[in-house]
Amino acid sequence: MKTRIMTLVALGALLNGLPTHATLILNDIGGGMFTSNFATNAGSTAFAKDVIGVPPHSIANLNNGSYGNSSSWIGNSANTFSGISFGATPISIGSVAWGRDNTGSFTDRTKDTYELQYTTVPNPNASTPDSSWTTIGTVTYTTHGLPGGLASNSRRHEWSFTPVNATGIRLKNTANGTAIDELEVSGFIAPKLTLQATGGSFLANNLALAGTAFGYDSIPGHAIANINDGIYGNASSWIGYSGSSFVGVRLAASTTIDRIAFGRDNTGGFSDRAAGMYLIQYTTVASPDEFTPNSSWINLGAVYYDPTDPNRALRHLYSFNPVTATGIRIIPSFTYQYEGGGSFALAIDEIEIYALNAVPEPSTVFLIGVGGLFILRAYRRRQHSQSRAA
Ligand SMILES: [Ca+2]
Ligand SMILES: [Ca+2]
């Protein structure tokens, strides 16, 4: 029962965080291997439709517990796939991770559409028919990774989804020659960021207003200082210039925070420069700025906005486990040959930061209440249907 309640709480967090058009929720970018990685269990086996005939790339590299190009699988055809069998008995899975080269050296071979599937067929392999696989979710990387980019498409990306019982997973690719250095699977891990509101406006006591903006670079007319000037909209937004772009806010004092909000254009005017990923980090060092080393930043979480999500450009308010921070920064993915063929960095019109125990806005209280009711009703229905089935 206790486990069940814990699962419900975790599922509640997942449901609250579900974007409009995705069943894979981005949880983190970069980072290390799952503490409990089912793909490297003794009974687990990697398989793939094919592999490029160039050493050292191999199918076994998919779950050898090592990142990097020299420990990767590369497909050898369009519409290929790679996967992991857990054996004959289904296990509960809820999170996966994969990347092209989590060491950051290689950034090619990532532009692709990835479709994650699972099966309950015992000991699945490359010959398990398509009809035995069920799709969990699909994500599209509109570009290859960029060198040096911490939020690059080539880094390890960790995704969570509504848990399923499975004997195996497979990851389908559309492009020929996509690379994966490690395919990881775990039980459900609650996303680090929980979506609390889409749209909406400033709450009371936005700490960013009293903070100091900093960033790596920007394009003309979209200055770093726009990030905390208290104004939404494209004309008051920051837009990065390169694959190394980031922007952040140094807080006036070290503060325990638990919510952040940002968007591309909360006025609804512009919806370009919003499909992609944002990695959110915090730091505890004194007086952080654009020169604070990468090693001093800790991941708070990441979000992925699908190109088909109509609300992707609006402000999104997220909550997270409280951290005491001196500053935060957001690293957007950089896209090109996208939305008309030009070169695009993602845009942010405003960053808001809120302290723990600040009074929440009424609509947030309402949303949490509605979310709780929904989960309770779903749970009761499940119990009801289970008792009827028994
Ligand atoms: Ca590997
Ligand atoms: Ca602004």
Side-chain angles (χ1 to χ4, degrees):
M1 188 64 190
K2 194 177 177 185
T3 311
R4 196 162 186 182
I5 289 169
M6 289 298 287
T7 306
L8 269 174
V9 169
L11 271 175
L14 176 67
L15 288 168
N16 277 333
L18 266 177
T20 323
H21 287 273
T23 45
L24 284 170
I25 300 174
L26 184 61
N27 193 16
D28 202 4
I29 299 176
M33 219 159 277
F34 286 129
T35 309
S36 179
N37 178 15
F38 302 158
T40 52
N41 282 353
S44 294
T45 313
F47 62 87
K49 182 180 177 185
D50 50 36
V51 60
I52 194 171
V54 180
H57 307 291
S58 72
I59 294 171
N61 279 343
L62 284 163
N63 66 337
N64 70 345
S66 172
Y67 298 125
N69 178 64
S70 61
S71 178
S72 70
W73 164 85
I74 297 179
N76 200 37
S77 63
N79 302 311
T80 187
F81 59 81
S82 58
I84 305 288
S85 162
F86 313 127
T89 310
I91 56 176
S92 179
I93 62 169
S95 295
V96 296
W98 75 84
R100 183 271 184 268
D101 179 0
N102 198 34
T103 70
S105 297
F106 284 74
T107 56
D108 57 341
R109 299 181 178 275
T110 54
K111 182 181 176 182
D112 205 350
T113 293
Y114 302 81
E115 183 177 0
L116 180 69
Q117 299 183 314
Y118 77 99
T119 187
T120 55
V121 171
N123 303 304
N125 56 39
S127 302
T128 303
D130 290 346
S131 58
S132 296
W133 294 95
T134 303
T135 297
I136 294 172
T138 302
V139 296
T140 298
Y141 293 180
T142 54
T143 69
H144 292 301
L146 282 184
L150 292 172
S152 169
N153 290 341
S154 53
R155 302 274 179 173
R156 173 187 188 270
H157 286 60
E158 183 179 311
W159 308 85
S160 290
F161 50 88
T162 305
V164 293
N165 290 321
T167 53
I169 59 125
R170 72 176 188 179
L171 194 58
K172 293 175 72 179
N173 300 114
T174 302
N176 184 356
T178 294
I180 295 171
D181 69 344
E182 195 71 11
L183 188 50
E184 305 168 44
V185 188
S186 181
F188 177 73
I189 296 171
K192 292 177 176 177
L193 299 172
T194 302
L195 182 64
Q196 298 289 356
T198 303
S201 189
F202 297 100
L203 311 184
N205 304 315
N206 170 19
L207 298 176
L209 292 176
T212 306
F214 63 87
Y216 182 71
D217 56 19
S218 62
I219 66 172
H222 295 273
I224 291 165
N226 284 343
I227 212 70
N228 66 336
D229 65 352
I231 304 169
Y232 298 125
N234 179 65
S236 178
S237 70
W238 167 82
I239 299 178
Y241 181 71
S242 69
S244 301
S245 302
F246 64 82
V247 71
V249 176
R250 174 168 66 250
L251 296 170
S254 178
T255 312
T256 301
I257 58 173
D258 71 345
R259 281 159 299 149
I260 185 172
F262 64 95
R264 182 272 182 266
D265 180 356
N266 197 37
T267 68
F270 286 73
S271 60
D272 62 336
R273 299 178 182 274
M277 302 181 224
Y278 299 85
L279 174 64
I280 299 110
Q281 299 182 314
Y282 76 98
T283 187
T284 60
V285 302
S287 303
D289 59 19
E290 63 271 32
F291 302 110
T292 302
N294 291 334
S295 58
S296 294
W297 293 96
I298 304 161
N299 286 6
L300 258 181
V303 292
Y304 164 77
Y305 297 135
D306 190 274
T308 62
D309 180 352
N311 296 320
R312 65 189 183 278
L314 296 177
R315 166 191 186 265
H316 287 58
L317 174 67
Y318 297 97
S319 62
F320 46 84
N321 289 333
V323 294
T324 301
T326 52
I328 64 99
R329 69 174 182 176
I330 300 180
I331 307 169
S333 59
F334 187 87
T335 70
Y336 42 61
Q337 297 178 344
Y338 183 61
E339 290 181 327
S343 299
F344 293 107
L346 298 192
I348 302 174
D349 68 345
E350 193 74 11
I351 296 176
E352 306 161 45
I353 306 168
Y354 297 101
L356 178 66
N357 294 330
V359 179
E361 64 180 339
S363 63
T364 304
V365 175
F366 176 74
L367 276 173
I368 292 170
V370 170
L373 270 177
F374 173 73
I375 293 158
L376 193 63
R377 281 185 62 186
Y379 179 55
R380 283 182 174 160
R381 273 188 195 155
R382 207 171 101 184
Q383 277 201 319
H384 185 62
S385 60
Q386 279 174 347
S387 63
R388 279 203 308 193

